[in-house]
Amino acid sequence: MSWLHTWFGLVCAWLLCLIFLAGSISVFRAPISRWMTAEPALPATSAALPQETVLAAASRFLAGQEANARFWRIELPAEPEQAMRLVWRTAAGATHEAAMDPRDGALLPQPWGRKTEGGRHFMTLHYTLHAGTFGFWLVGLLTMGMLAALLSGIVVHKRIFKDFFTFRPGRGQRAWLDGHNASAVLTLPFQLMIAYTGLAIFYTSYMPGPLRAVYGEQGAARWQAELAERASQAGSAALPARPPLDASLPARQQLGVLLHAAQAALASPARMIMVERPGQPRERISVYGRPDAAMAIRQISSPTGRAVFDGATGAFSSLHLAAGSQPADAAHEVMERLHVASYGGWTIKWLYFICGLAGTLMMATGAVLYTIKRRNKGLGEFGAGTPAFYRIAESLNVAAIAGACLACIVYFHANRFIPAAQPGRDAWEITAFFLAWLASLTHACVRPLQRAWFEQFACAALLCLLLPATNVLTTRQHALAYARAGDWQAAMVESTIMVFGGLLAVLAWRLRAGAWTVPRPGRTAAAPRGYRWRVLGRVLCAVTGGYALATVGAIVLARALPLGGLASPAIGVVVASLLSFLIYAVAALWVFAAPGAWRWLLACIAGLTALAWTLGAA
């Protein structure tokens, strides 16, 4: 367990520090996007047209852009001073957008504000590292490694709760261990919840075996239909009468009438209108309700309402009320809201943010503690190459911790310095982030390590403190101006970054002295013959064998629950898939805890496979 905790923790921490930091920041993705968009104030106007007239103008504009568009999307402003966003996707898959004044329907200059990924960048970075499918699976594997490291850490640290109340600053290695224990124990339930829900959100992607075993290779639609059937009584309502439309005009040109009908049926204001396949067969118009802030605070599962109209006739085709409703896949809804803190209001968001930073600190102190321990007591694990390995490990620590902080603040500066009219500027912002991160790794490899720590934290602190000046120079805005205008979200983004600039400056000041020391030679004990191959075998057995055991175990459970009358096939798939991640984590720990575990693992896999086949035949 000690070996598992140490090495899984170290190897996974080099990317998990960035993943956790990005996840913590993404809790405030909406305020960050608001600050980075830097949307200007609407121009003065003497006209105030009815909403129906403005939506008709939006429909005419969208109709003139693409004859066979895949969809139109009209994002209604949440506040009076915001613009109305018009988004359309062409038949070729290209997405375009424009801005319209919601008061008189006038098109606003382009670009209106700054095209940016904003806080969504941190969310995407959190679960894919911007690496597509490969990054998605890599993050899933690292999350499973984190879950195994957390569970093995509980086993290894026998005095973990006692040590939580002990902190000895200035004691070198002991202080790092105290910090690691305190940050781990304080937020242990949170870290376990975040790791598990991060996997459970994508349970049919990471663990597709139960779904395919019960419903077949292409059975996802049938599974979703059965779940939707169970939720239909709670989530659907009787359809109202057809709205009073002008028969001489298509329904998509009368969005104002549909909007009023939808808002009356949903008993809530709308946030978005979606027209799918406009002017084509199977045209559909959907009006999405705005989330109820009070309900979102009180309930973990709080879906928004939605009204769907037939594009040809304008009649209601379905109506889903928010009050008391459950989505078809309620398990996914609950896991997602638990993971992304979309409940509980700002109090929960700040709590998630602080606990997420504590989790980042736990990983960072663990990675640093490992290198400090080996520096003080070399074990010669890698023979003559041991000093070189630890030099690389410490460079990776610098890039994973200090470099991640530096890349994040570079992203904010890039948002302001890249011209608003620059084509593809949102992609350039993300490129600037990764270039800064790569530069931090290069810098850590060529500079003395203690200087690298100091210089990168000092640079990050300086950039944080200079962000208000950058904002003033590029947009003539600053935190006080945001506060005077009542835009407290943007004001808090800039103020919080300045606070962290001060904290990073203090940290850099504490790191200004010192030098990296070569690990002591220590005593190099001869490893038993074939030891490294046996370690590699256990790692592969834990990763692949554990996944195989979790898959067949979940398949058995998914098939057994309906046969025993304990759940429907659809619910059986959900329960089995969610439990599979716990089976995987326990299997990985078992491989490293028991002698000859791979034999027992193979025997269990074979036995469960036979049982799954028998249940499938039944």
Side-chain angles (χ1 to χ4, degrees):
M1 289 298 99
S2 179
W3 188 97
L4 175 68
H5 182 72
T6 298
W7 285 98
F8 270 41
L10 177 68
V11 175
C12 293
W14 288 326
L15 280 176
L16 278 176
C17 279
L18 177 64
I19 291 170
F20 241 69
L21 179 61
S24 303
I25 296 173
S26 71
V27 169
F28 298 115
R29 55 194 172 276
I32 290 172
S33 296
R34 188 183 182 98
W35 184 90
M36 297 186 77
T37 302
E39 186 174 304
L42 292 174
T45 180
S46 57
L49 301 178
Q51 190 177 39
E52 294 89 341
T53 305
V54 174
L55 290 175
S59 178
R60 289 193 300 270
F61 171 80
L62 290 168
Q65 303 307 310
E66 174 73 21
N68 296 309
R70 295 187 183 182
F71 68 77
W72 299 345
R73 189 172 75 233
I74 302 175
E75 299 175 3
L76 304 174
E79 299 176 9
E81 66 274 9
Q82 291 181 334
M84 185 167 67
R85 295 282 176 175
L86 311 179
V87 183
W88 67 98
R89 180 169 294 171
T90 65
T95 303
H96 304 277
E97 65 177 73
M100 179 174 282
D101 193 324
R103 301 166 298 177
D104 57 9
L107 286 175
L108 299 170
Q110 290 299 310
W112 187 253
R114 294 170 178 263
K115 183 174 175 57
T116 176
E117 282 296 298
R120 292 188 300 273
H121 156 68
F122 294 105
M123 176 63 79
T124 306
L125 182 70
H126 176 64
Y127 75 93
T128 69
L129 293 172
H130 284 288
T133 303
F134 171 77
F136 173 77
W137 281 93
L138 177 60
V139 171
L141 184 62
L142 291 172
T143 306
M144 183 54 66
M146 173 188 171
L147 195 58
L150 286 171
L151 295 176
S152 59
I154 297 173
V155 176
V156 169
H157 295 123
K158 299 178 181 179
R159 296 169 23 127
I160 186 170
F161 290 102
K162 181 179 179 180
D163 288 344
F164 168 65
F165 297 99
T166 305
F167 184 62
R168 288 153 283 193
R171 295 286 298 275
Q173 178 180 326
R174 183 71 250 182
W176 283 102
L177 181 59
D178 290 342
H180 181 66
N181 288 338
S183 58
V185 178
L186 177 65
T187 60
L188 182 59
F190 175 83
Q191 312 303 338
L192 290 170
M193 181 274 291
I194 285 294
Y196 176 74
T197 55
L199 294 166
I201 289 174
F202 307 105
Y203 63 92
T204 56
S205 297
Y206 285 137
M207 195 62 65
L211 175 60
R212 294 181 180 178
V214 175
Y215 288 91
E217 190 72 23
Q218 305 297 327
R222 189 155 57 94
W223 172 65
Q224 287 283 359
E226 289 189 19
L227 288 175
E229 185 179 353
R230 293 178 59 86
S232 60
Q233 293 183 351
S236 296
L239 298 181
R242 177 179 177 272
L245 299 176
D246 186 345
S248 63
L249 294 175
R252 62 183 174 279
Q253 294 183 20
Q254 304 177 69
L255 296 178
V257 178
L258 299 182
L259 176 66
H260 289 312
Q263 291 182 143
L266 296 172
S268 72
R271 65 178 177 87
M272 183 175 67
I273 303 173
M274 174 80 78
V275 182
E276 301 174 71
R277 300 175 295 275
Q280 305 165 50
R282 297 182 297 114
E283 179 182 356
R284 185 171 65 175
I285 302 172
S286 301
V287 177
Y288 293 83
R290 193 171 297 281
D292 186 335
M295 184 184 295
I297 290 176
R298 295 192 305 268
Q299 299 181 9
I300 289 181
S301 179
S302 178
T304 58
R306 178 169 59 97
V308 182
F309 300 88
D310 182 88
T313 64
F316 280 91
S317 59
S318 64
L319 179 63
H320 302 274
L321 300 178
S325 67
Q326 289 291 333
D329 193 355
H332 176 273
E333 171 77 11
V334 171
M335 293 297 172
E336 183 177 25
R337 290 176 66 83
L338 275 173
H339 190 79
V340 303
S342 56
Y343 69 98
W346 294 108
T347 302
I348 290 294
K349 291 183 185 299
W350 277 104
L351 181 62
Y352 269 56
F353 180 67
I354 294 170
C355 290
L357 292 181
T360 307
L361 180 64
M362 173 191 69
M363 299 169 198
T365 53
V368 173
L369 176 64
Y370 171 83
T371 52
I372 290 178
K373 287 176 64 177
R374 295 307 191 271
R375 188 190 305 166
N376 294 335
K377 184 181 179 181
L379 299 179
E381 300 97 323
F382 303 96
T386 299
F389 171 81
Y390 290 129
R391 178 62 171 87
I392 295 173
E394 292 220 52
S395 298
L396 290 172
N397 285 351
V398 175
I401 302 168
C405 298
L406 181 61
C408 288
I409 188 57
V410 165
Y411 175 68
F412 284 90
H413 279 273
N415 171 263
R416 288 304 191 246
F417 280 119
I418 297 175
Q422 174 74 32
R425 66 177 315 281
D426 50 343
W428 279 109
E429 290 175 359
I430 297 172
T431 300
F433 174 90
F434 282 105
L435 288 177
W437 196 31
L438 179 62
S440 73
L441 177 59
T442 305
H443 175 265
C445 290
V446 300
R447 291 287 289 163
L449 278 172
Q450 197 69 23
R451 298 300 302 170
W453 281 110
F454 164 71
E455 290 165 2
Q456 292 196 25
F457 274 126
C459 185
L462 184 62
L463 289 177
C464 287
L465 295 174
L466 288 178
L467 187 63
T470 298
N471 194 18
V472 170
L473 291 174
T474 54
T475 66
R476 302 294 188 269
Q477 293 292 323
H478 50 82
L480 292 178
Y482 294 135
R484 283 198 298 268
D487 190 354
W488 292 103
Q489 292 188 26
M492 285 302 298
V493 168
E494 195 164 301
S495 301
T496 302
I497 289 175
M498 291 184 64
V499 169
F500 276 94
L503 295 176
L504 290 173
V506 172
L507 180 59
W509 178 259
R510 296 291 301 271
L511 293 172
R512 71 190 186 282
W516 185 79
T517 57
V518 177
R520 297 178 184 177
R523 293 185 300 172
T524 305
R529 185 178 180 84
Y531 169 76
R532 289 185 174 84
W533 287 110
R534 288 196 295 274
V535 169
L536 178 61
R538 289 205 181 222
V539 172
L540 294 177
C541 186
V543 174
T544 60
Y547 185 82
L549 180 65
T551 299
V552 295
I555 290 173
V556 168
L557 189 59
R559 286 176 170 171
L561 287 175
L563 291 176
L566 299 175
S568 67
I571 297 299
V573 168
V574 174
V575 172
S577 301
L578 292 176
L579 290 177
S580 65
F581 301 110
L582 299 179
I583 298 174
Y584 194 175
V586 172
L589 266 66
W590 182 33
V591 167
F592 285 92
W598 65 272
R599 298 186 184 91
W600 292 101
L601 192 66
L602 291 177
C604 288
I605 292 172
L608 288 173
T609 302
L611 180 57
W613 182 83
T614 303
L615 292 174

